[in-house]
């Protein structure tokens, strides 16, 4: 039993599928990095306010 060699359309379809999977993985990675950046920026603002509650009224520290 021999396997038929894939024709050009099948090869193109496989490449397109692989490219779509790669794009989805990159989008997921970008969303993860974005979420982590938001979390770090949020923590940089919230943690000092929790440690020193008077800092919430001091506008110069927030800017």
């Amino acid at each position: 039993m021999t396997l038929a060699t894939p024709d050009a359309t099948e090869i193109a379809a496989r490449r397109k599928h692989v490219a779509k999977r790669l794009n989805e993985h990159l989008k997921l990675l970008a969303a993860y990095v974005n979420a982590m950046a938001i979390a770090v920026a949020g923590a940089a603002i919230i943690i000092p306010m929790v440690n020193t509650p008077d800092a919430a009224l001091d506008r110069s520290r927030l800017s």
Side-chain angles (χ1 to χ4, degrees):
M1 177 188 253
T2 61
L3 296 176
T5 58
D7 58 346
T9 57
E10 187 176 339
I11 293 172
R14 284 185 186 172
R15 285 184 181 170
K16 187 175 181 180
H17 178 71
V18 169
K20 283 185 178 183
R21 286 186 62 195
L22 177 64
N23 287 342
E24 288 298 319
H25 285 254
L26 290 176
K27 285 189 335 188
L28 285 172
L29 176 65
Y32 173 76
V33 170
N34 189 28
M36 293 308 295
I38 291 170
V40 168
I45 293 171
I46 293 172
I47 289 176
M49 286 185 176
V50 171
N51 289 339
T52 55
D54 294 332
L57 301 175
D58 188 16
R59 293 181 186 261
S60 64
R61 288 190 73 187
L62 290 178
S63 61

